[in-house]
Amino acid sequence: MTLSSHNTHPKDILLREDRLPHIWCAGCGLGVALNCFIGALVDSGLDLQKTVVVSGIGCTGRTAGYVKLDSFHTTHGRAIPFATGLKLANPDLNVIVFSGDGDLIAIGGNHFIHAARRNVDLKVICVNNFNYGMTGGQAAPTTPTQARTATTPKGNLEHPFNIPYLAAGSGAVYVARWTTLHVRRLQQAMKDVLLRKGFSVVEVISPCPTLFGRLNKQGTGAEILEYYREKSTIQHGMDPAKVGIDLGGEIIVGKFIDQPDKPTFMDNYRALFGEKEGA
Ligand code: SF4
């Protein structure tokens, strides 16, 4: 696929226009995340004929249907095992997982930690809106303590996962977090993971004004971006253990982990079995 042979907007070429209009609510951050992702794909120079996108279920999971690449909208929580199979069957592919916190960290949580531990060469973009959006705003394992959701109307009793800490502790070689306010930095981080080898994660903090935002009186999508502006601090190299997010609290963003030299699963496979079997 060549990007210069069309007269359309340079990003339109990577959208399936026949699938539009999209389903996302006004003020949702997912359009921003997708825009940054397409920009990163274009900037990366990757061979798009060898690039695939895998999503699970949920609002974020619709992305696989909107990008004009080989893409797979898989069952709930199973984006990572599906992507792992693609990568191991054809190691030449650039395999990207683009899915939400409910899909990747709840139902898919087991797959997430073990793919990170194995250092499977996957690029994971996890959009975190702190709840299950598509199914009605239920609590997720990322929902901050005390936050109201459809299933925690008086406030969440549980402690949430801190996604960068979970990723880093499980072995991810690249871990970054940005919000949908930080569009240039977010696009750069997405480009970074597209060009990294190994299990690489970008967490995207994103507004869900329709459900999580409404139930927690965060206002419109624009007002949530204003909250991100007031409460975000950039701290590259920060210990991921210290970047947990409390309801309405500070959001530490930046690149926390970058270990480009760690052998991947396929590196170890080839070292053990040789090039031919590991081709
Ligand atoms: Fe976005 Fe929330 Fe609407 Fe889903 S429910 S599209 S996450 S605003």
Side-chain angles (χ1 to χ4, degrees):
M1 185 186 300
T2 57
L3 295 174
S4 57
S5 59
H6 293 251
N7 293 322
T8 55
H9 188 279
K11 291 184 176 176
D12 285 352
I13 192 172
L14 287 174
L15 284 177
R16 293 181 200 265
E17 292 174 33
D18 58 315
R19 300 298 299 271
L20 301 178
H22 59 72
I23 66 160
W24 296 326
C25 308
C28 180
L30 281 164
V32 175
L34 176 58
N35 185 49
C36 291
F37 178 51
I38 290 176
L41 281 168
V42 173
D43 289 350
S44 71
L46 287 181
D47 181 350
L48 299 180
Q49 296 289 358
K50 293 184 176 176
T51 300
V52 300
V53 177
V54 184
S55 292
I57 298 299
C59 297
T60 312
R62 303 295 293 197
T63 302
Y66 296 146
V67 290
K68 200 188 288 181
L69 295 170
D70 287 332
S71 59
F72 302 88
H73 191 196
T74 66
T75 48
H76 206 178
R78 312 306 170 205
I80 284 181
F82 195 98
T84 300
L86 280 171
K87 184 65 186 177
L88 300 190
N90 186 350
D92 288 340
L93 293 178
N94 309 303
V95 183
I96 302 154
V97 174
F98 196 114
S99 214
D101 54 304
D103 186 72
L104 286 173
I105 308 300
I107 298 171
N110 198 30
H111 305 306
F112 182 90
I113 61 174
H114 288 290
R117 175 180 62 80
R118 297 178 180 120
N119 199 21
V120 182
D121 187 8
L122 301 178
K123 302 99 175 45
V124 179
I125 297 166
C126 178
V127 179
N128 182 3
N129 50 37
F130 304 107
N131 75 150
Y132 287 93
M134 180 173 276
T135 50
Q138 296 89 348
T142 47
T143 301
T145 309
Q146 300 179 359
R148 292 174 189 269
T149 69
T151 48
T152 59
K154 292 185 181 296
N156 184 26
L157 300 174
E158 300 180 3
H159 300 286
F161 273 133
N162 164 354
I163 292 178
Y165 189 34
L166 182 69
S170 302
V173 298
Y174 180 101
V175 180
R177 171 197 283 156
W178 297 101
T179 78
T180 53
L181 178 76
H182 301 88
V183 287
R184 285 194 297 267
R185 294 175 188 271
L186 175 57
Q187 182 167 317
Q188 179 61 48
M190 290 179 175
K191 180 182 172 188
D192 285 350
V193 298
L194 293 178
L195 298 175
R196 285 292 184 288
K197 267 180 62 180
F199 193 87
S200 307
V201 179
V202 179
E203 181 189 24
V204 185
I205 302 297
S206 177
C208 173
T210 302
L211 293 165
F212 188 84
R214 178 173 55 81
L215 290 169
N216 291 285
K217 300 187 171 24
Q218 291 184 323
T220 63
E223 287 168 330
I224 297 172
L225 292 180
E226 181 63 23
Y227 155 60
Y228 293 168
R229 193 186 66 76
E230 287 175 4
K231 296 285 187 160
S232 296
T233 57
I234 298 173
Q235 297 191 43
H236 295 302
M238 185 69 171
D239 178 353
K242 298 178 179 168
V243 303
I245 300 174
D246 295 326
L247 182 63
E250 181 184 29
I251 302 173
I252 298 174
V253 295
K255 181 170 73 174
F256 306 131
I257 301 287
D258 195 1
Q259 301 175 325
D261 300 326
K262 184 175 177 180
T264 66
F265 180 89
M266 285 308 294
D267 290 336
N268 289 342
Y269 185 95
R270 289 186 176 114
L272 197 58
F273 297 108
E275 274 300 321
K276 195 168 174 201
E277 288 81 357

